PDB file of all heavy atoms in Angstrom:
ATOM      1  N   MET W   1    -166.633  15.738   9.142  1.00 44.00           N
ATOM      2  CA  MET W   1    -166.056  16.723  10.093  1.00 44.00           C
ATOM      3  C   MET W   1    -166.621  16.471  11.470  1.00 44.00           C
ATOM      4  O   MET W   1    -167.802  16.234  11.618  1.00 44.00           O
ATOM      5  CB  MET W   1    -166.397  18.148   9.613  1.00 44.00           C
ATOM      6  CG  MET W   1    -165.645  19.214  10.347  1.00 44.00           C
ATOM      7  SD  MET W   1    -166.128  20.879   9.794  1.00 44.00           S
ATOM      8  CE  MET W   1    -165.299  21.025   8.248  1.00 44.00           C
ATOM      9  N   LEU W  17    -166.358  26.473   2.679  1.00 73.00           N
ATOM     10  CA  LEU W  17    -165.229  25.646   2.351  1.00 73.00           C
ATOM     11  C   LEU W  17    -165.586  24.146   2.473  1.00 73.00           C
ATOM     12  O   LEU W  17    -165.264  23.338   1.608  1.00 73.00           O
ATOM     13  CB  LEU W  17    -164.050  25.957   3.328  1.00 73.00           C
ATOM     14  CG  LEU W  17    -162.718  25.272   2.997  1.00 73.00           C
ATOM     15  CD1 LEU W  17    -162.175  25.798   1.670  1.00 73.00           C
ATOM     16  CD2 LEU W  17    -161.706  25.531   4.124  1.00 73.00           C
ATOM     17  N   ALA W  18    -166.278  23.831   3.557  1.00 75.00           N
ATOM     18  CA  ALA W  18    -166.699  22.407   3.755  1.00 75.00           C
ATOM     19  C   ALA W  18    -167.615  21.966   2.627  1.00 75.00           C
ATOM     20  O   ALA W  18    -167.482  20.817   2.091  1.00 75.00           O
ATOM     21  CB  ALA W  18    -167.392  22.253   5.116  1.00 75.00           C
ATOM     22  N   ALA W  19    -168.514  22.878   2.206  1.00 73.00           N
ATOM     23  CA  ALA W  19    -169.452  22.522   1.110  1.00 73.00           C
ATOM     24  C   ALA W  19    -168.675  22.297  -0.172  1.00 73.00           C
ATOM     25  O   ALA W  19    -168.911  21.324  -0.914  1.00 73.00           O
ATOM     26  CB  ALA W  19    -170.481  23.617   0.930  1.00 73.00           C
ATOM     27  N   ALA W  20    -167.666  23.176  -0.420  1.00 71.00           N
ATOM     28  CA  ALA W  20    -166.870  23.043  -1.666  1.00 71.00           C
ATOM     29  C   ALA W  20    -166.110  21.749  -1.609  1.00 71.00           C
ATOM     30  O   ALA W  20    -165.969  21.055  -2.604  1.00 71.00           O
ATOM     31  CB  ALA W  20    -165.947  24.233  -1.771  1.00 71.00           C
ATOM     32  N   GLN W  21    -165.528  21.446  -0.429  1.00 72.00           N
ATOM     33  CA  GLN W  21    -164.750  20.184  -0.303  1.00 72.00           C
ATOM     34  C   GLN W  21    -165.620  18.965  -0.540  1.00 72.00           C
ATOM     35  O   GLN W  21    -165.219  18.036  -1.206  1.00 72.00           O
ATOM     36  CB  GLN W  21    -164.071  20.120   1.058  1.00 72.00           C
ATOM     37  CG  GLN W  21    -162.813  20.919   1.105  1.00 72.00           C
ATOM     38  CD  GLN W  21    -162.231  21.018   2.498  1.00 72.00           C
ATOM     39  OE1 GLN W  21    -162.897  20.730   3.487  1.00 72.00           O
ATOM     40  NE2 GLN W  21    -161.005  21.457   2.583  1.00 72.00           N
ATOM     41  N   SER W  22    -166.836  19.027  -0.005  1.00 73.00           N
ATOM     42  CA  SER W  22    -167.666  17.822  -0.117  1.00 73.00           C
ATOM     43  C   SER W  22    -168.135  17.678  -1.574  1.00 73.00           C
ATOM     44  O   SER W  22    -168.193  16.558  -2.124  1.00 73.00           O
ATOM     45  CB  SER W  22    -168.813  17.849   0.877  1.00 73.00           C
ATOM     46  OG  SER W  22    -170.054  18.132   0.267  1.00 73.00           O
ATOM     47  N   LEU W  23    -168.395  18.799  -2.270  1.00 68.00           N
ATOM     48  CA  LEU W  23    -168.765  18.732  -3.683  1.00 68.00           C
ATOM     49  C   LEU W  23    -167.582  18.133  -4.481  1.00 68.00           C
ATOM     50  O   LEU W  23    -167.765  17.261  -5.316  1.00 68.00           O
ATOM     51  CB  LEU W  23    -169.098  20.126  -4.214  1.00 68.00           C
ATOM     52  CG  LEU W  23    -169.414  20.152  -5.728  1.00 68.00           C
ATOM     53  CD1 LEU W  23    -170.687  19.396  -6.072  1.00 68.00           C
ATOM     54  CD2 LEU W  23    -169.554  21.604  -6.229  1.00 68.00           C
ATOM     55  N   HIS W  24    -166.407  18.615  -4.177  1.00 66.00           N
ATOM     56  CA  HIS W  24    -165.210  18.123  -4.886  1.00 66.00           C
ATOM     57  C   HIS W  24    -165.041  16.608  -4.643  1.00 66.00           C
ATOM     58  O   HIS W  24    -164.824  15.874  -5.607  1.00 66.00           O
ATOM     59  CB  HIS W  24    -163.961  18.875  -4.328  1.00 66.00           C
ATOM     60  CG  HIS W  24    -162.693  18.449  -4.983  1.00 66.00           C
ATOM     61  ND1 HIS W  24    -162.376  18.870  -6.256  1.00 66.00           N
ATOM     62  CD2 HIS W  24    -161.693  17.664  -4.577  1.00 66.00           C
ATOM     63  CE1 HIS W  24    -161.170  18.345  -6.570  1.00 66.00           C
ATOM     64  NE2 HIS W  24    -160.748  17.619  -5.558  1.00 66.00           N
ATOM     65  N   GLN W  25    -165.241  16.193  -3.399  1.00 70.00           N
ATOM     66  CA  GLN W  25    -165.107  14.782  -3.099  1.00 70.00           C
ATOM     67  C   GLN W  25    -166.137  13.942  -3.861  1.00 70.00           C
ATOM     68  O   GLN W  25    -165.839  12.897  -4.402  1.00 70.00           O
ATOM     69  CB  GLN W  25    -165.286  14.513  -1.586  1.00 70.00           C
ATOM     70  CG  GLN W  25    -163.960  14.629  -0.866  1.00 70.00           C
ATOM     71  CD  GLN W  25    -164.130  14.629   0.664  1.00 70.00           C
ATOM     72  OE1 GLN W  25    -165.225  14.441   1.149  1.00 70.00           O
ATOM     73  NE2 GLN W  25    -163.038  14.823   1.323  1.00 70.00           N
ATOM     74  N   ARG W  26    -167.389  14.494  -3.903  1.00 68.00           N
ATOM     75  CA  ARG W  26    -168.439  13.734  -4.573  1.00 68.00           C
ATOM     76  C   ARG W  26    -168.126  13.613  -6.097  1.00 68.00           C
ATOM     77  O   ARG W  26    -168.282  12.572  -6.683  1.00 68.00           O
ATOM     78  CB  ARG W  26    -169.783  14.409  -4.378  1.00 68.00           C
ATOM     79  CG  ARG W  26    -170.583  13.727  -3.225  1.00 68.00           C
ATOM     80  CD  ARG W  26    -171.964  14.326  -3.085  1.00 68.00           C
ATOM     81  NE  ARG W  26    -171.898  15.707  -2.692  1.00 68.00           N
ATOM     82  CZ  ARG W  26    -172.634  16.667  -3.258  1.00 68.00           C
ATOM     83  NH1 ARG W  26    -173.483  16.404  -4.233  1.00 68.00           N
ATOM     84  NH2 ARG W  26    -172.519  17.921  -2.850  1.00 68.00           N
ATOM     85  N   LEU W  27    -167.673  14.742  -6.692  1.00 62.00           N
ATOM     86  CA  LEU W  27    -167.338  14.720  -8.120  1.00 62.00           C
ATOM     87  C   LEU W  27    -166.188  13.723  -8.404  1.00 62.00           C
ATOM     88  O   LEU W  27    -166.200  13.000  -9.378  1.00 62.00           O
ATOM     89  CB  LEU W  27    -166.960  16.107  -8.618  1.00 62.00           C
ATOM     90  CG  LEU W  27    -168.120  17.076  -8.782  1.00 62.00           C
ATOM     91  CD1 LEU W  27    -167.595  18.449  -9.183  1.00 62.00           C
ATOM     92  CD2 LEU W  27    -169.127  16.572  -9.833  1.00 62.00           C
ATOM     93  N   MET W  28    -165.194  13.747  -7.537  1.00 62.00           N
ATOM     94  CA  MET W  28    -164.043  12.869  -7.747  1.00 62.00           C
ATOM     95  C   MET W  28    -164.412  11.407  -7.564  1.00 62.00           C
ATOM     96  O   MET W  28    -163.793  10.545  -8.166  1.00 62.00           O
ATOM     97  CB  MET W  28    -162.918  13.234  -6.730  1.00 62.00           C
ATOM     98  CG  MET W  28    -162.221  14.536  -7.055  1.00 62.00           C
ATOM     99  SD  MET W  28    -161.392  14.425  -8.621  1.00 62.00           S
ATOM    100  CE  MET W  28    -161.822  15.921  -9.406  1.00 62.00           C
ATOM    101  N   ALA W  29    -165.377  11.141  -6.710  1.00 65.00           N
ATOM    102  CA  ALA W  29    -165.732   9.747  -6.404  1.00 65.00           C
ATOM    103  C   ALA W  29    -166.812   9.222  -7.363  1.00 65.00           C
ATOM    104  O   ALA W  29    -167.086   8.027  -7.347  1.00 65.00           O
ATOM    105  CB  ALA W  29    -166.179   9.613  -4.977  1.00 65.00           C
ATOM    106  N   SER W  30    -167.370  10.095  -8.189  1.00 63.00           N
ATOM    107  CA  SER W  30    -168.485   9.618  -9.013  1.00 63.00           C
ATOM    108  C   SER W  30    -168.068   9.370 -10.450  1.00 63.00           C
ATOM    109  O   SER W  30    -167.050   9.867 -10.897  1.00 63.00           O
ATOM    110  CB  SER W  30    -169.631  10.677  -9.004  1.00 63.00           C
ATOM    111  OG  SER W  30    -169.226  11.759  -9.766  1.00 63.00           O
ATOM    112  N   GLY W  31    -168.867   8.583 -11.143  1.00 61.00           N
ATOM    113  CA  GLY W  31    -168.661   8.400 -12.596  1.00 61.00           C
ATOM    114  C   GLY W  31    -167.577   7.417 -12.950  1.00 61.00           C
ATOM    115  O   GLY W  31    -167.156   7.350 -14.112  1.00 61.00           O
ATOM    116  N   HIS W  32    -167.046   6.681 -11.972  1.00 63.00           N
ATOM    117  CA  HIS W  32    -165.977   5.718 -12.315  1.00 63.00           C
ATOM    118  C   HIS W  32    -166.535   4.324 -12.660  1.00 63.00           C
ATOM    119  O   HIS W  32    -165.815   3.523 -13.197  1.00 63.00           O
ATOM    120  CB  HIS W  32    -164.982   5.576 -11.169  1.00 63.00           C
ATOM    121  CG  HIS W  32    -164.242   6.853 -10.899  1.00 63.00           C
ATOM    122  ND1 HIS W  32    -163.506   7.485 -11.886  1.00 63.00           N
ATOM    123  CD2 HIS W  32    -164.188   7.631  -9.834  1.00 63.00           C
ATOM    124  CE1 HIS W  32    -163.008   8.602 -11.359  1.00 63.00           C
ATOM    125  NE2 HIS W  32    -163.401   8.730 -10.141  1.00 63.00           N
ATOM    126  N   GLU W 177    -174.513   8.155 -14.933  1.00 55.00           N
ATOM    127  CA  GLU W 177    -174.637   7.855 -13.512  1.00 55.00           C
ATOM    128  C   GLU W 177    -175.997   7.224 -13.204  1.00 55.00           C
ATOM    129  O   GLU W 177    -176.112   6.413 -12.329  1.00 55.00           O
ATOM    130  CB  GLU W 177    -174.439   9.138 -12.683  1.00 55.00           C
ATOM    131  CG  GLU W 177    -172.963   9.376 -12.472  1.00 55.00           C
ATOM    132  CD  GLU W 177    -172.723  10.663 -11.716  1.00 55.00           C
ATOM    133  OE1 GLU W 177    -173.538  11.019 -10.839  1.00 55.00           O
ATOM    134  OE2 GLU W 177    -171.670  11.304 -11.998  1.00 55.00           O
TER     135      GLU W 177
END
Side-chain angles (χ1 to χ4, degrees):
M1 192 183 282
L17 187 66
Q21 278 172 346
S22 106
L23 176 66
H24 181 75
Q25 272 169 5
R26 262 184 296 135
L27 285 175
M28 288 296 136
S30 72
H32 297 302
E177 277 176 34

